[in-house]
Amino acid sequence: MKNLLIYIKPDDSERVWREETMKLLPVQIDNSLELGWDRKDIILITNFPYEYNGIKAREMNVDYYKPKATTAKIAVICKLFEEGLGNDLYWFHDNDAFQMEELNPHIPQGKVGLTDYGITKIGPNIDRRWSTGVLFFRKDTEDVFKLIMRSTYSHHANEEIGLLAWCRINKHGIRDRLEKLNITYNFAPNRIKDVKKSYEITEKPIK
């Protein structure tokens, strides 16, 4: 498995997020190494020079839907597909999503593994929405990511809304290309989550 971290630094309008992420990167790297990851399996993509604890970022400039900075991760993954990926399972995770336990997801060939939102304070419509904070994928899912990227532009939206738009009409049979994982792989106790109820449906230990 490859451990994929991506940070395409946004412009000054996203200064708070930028400063937070620059603090998270070294913690992510140290955490991965402490959990036994081999340095050669940690892939860090940035759009600026960066190196920490033996992990040197690969600089990449990508075209993404800039009003929604999170779409940059999908653009980077699409670029990696174009350049050619190996036969590994790739684990992308947002920079604030930290591994806690050994990862052992079952991801069938041709599918992208991801979670929904768990249980929120808003209701089932949001609960069932896909979260792109954690993504497991192989080289045979390139078309899924390109569809998401296309939809972000056509809907002027972030990547989760772009994916939702395709799923609503099941264009290209995209629902069958997604493998729902338990939120143990993406347990995010943020302001919209009902943390207690989400914890109850989470497989332990939290991954």
Side-chain angles (χ1 to χ4, degrees):
M1 189 187 303
K2 300 296 184 183
N3 182 341
L4 177 61
L5 293 164
I6 296 171
Y7 180 44
I8 302 300
K9 188 184 293 185
D11 59 29
D12 286 342
S13 65
E14 300 281 359
R15 182 171 296 168
V16 173
W17 181 36
R18 183 182 66 191
E19 292 175 353
E20 176 183 296
T21 305
M22 292 304 294
K23 294 176 182 177
L24 291 175
L25 283 179
V27 185
Q28 277 285 3
I29 291 169
D30 284 341
N31 185 65
S32 294
L33 293 172
E34 288 171 9
L35 286 169
W37 284 89
D38 194 311
R39 283 179 171 81
K40 67 179 176 56
D41 292 325
I42 300 174
I43 303 169
L44 173 62
I45 307 290
T46 64
N47 59 343
F48 56 94
Y50 184 85
E51 185 171 1
Y52 174 79
N53 199 354
I55 303 297
K56 184 174 182 179
R58 178 185 164 191
E59 292 182 60
M60 181 184 291
N61 290 308
V62 292
D63 180 28
Y64 64 97
Y65 184 61
K66 291 181 173 57
K68 304 292 183 181
T70 58
T71 63
K73 63 191 178 190
I74 306 298
V76 167
I77 292 171
C78 287
K79 182 70 172 176
L80 292 173
F81 277 121
E82 291 171 4
E83 295 177 351
L85 292 179
N87 294 318
D88 302 277
L89 179 64
Y90 288 77
W91 169 50
F92 163 80
H93 50 115
D94 281 346
N95 293 300
D96 58 355
F98 288 90
Q99 181 184 353
M100 299 176 67
E101 299 285 341
E102 181 181 356
L103 305 178
N104 52 3
H106 173 66
I107 313 296
Q109 294 291 329
K111 289 195 174 188
V112 176
L114 71 172
T115 73
D116 58 17
Y117 267 66
I119 300 177
T120 71
K121 300 173 184 175
I122 301 172
N125 288 337
I126 298 297
D127 298 359
R128 292 191 293 266
R129 264 179 46 179
W130 295 114
S131 171
T132 60
V134 169
L135 300 164
F136 292 91
F137 61 95
R138 296 184 181 87
K139 66 179 183 180
D140 54 7
T141 58
E142 178 177 3
D143 57 320
V144 176
F145 286 91
K146 289 193 171 179
L147 285 171
I148 296 171
M149 197 71 247
R150 200 170 100 197
S151 188
T152 64
Y153 281 100
S154 61
H155 289 87
H156 307 289
N158 67 29
E159 74 288 352
E160 292 184 350
I161 297 300
L163 177 57
L164 178 64
W166 284 117
C167 286
R168 279 177 172 165
I169 58 174
N170 200 25
K171 191 80 171 184
H172 303 288
I174 196 167
R175 291 179 198 156
D176 294 331
R177 306 293 303 284
L178 305 176
E179 182 73 8
K180 181 181 175 181
L181 302 176
N182 184 271
I183 60 168
T184 189
Y185 286 99
N186 190 11
F187 188 82
N190 56 35
R191 66 183 183 280
I192 71 166
K193 291 288 183 68
D194 187 319
V195 178
K196 184 177 184 296
K197 290 181 179 179
S198 291
Y199 183 78
E200 290 171 355
I201 65 167
T202 301
E203 294 174 3
K204 283 59 162 203
I206 295 175
K207 302 291 188 181

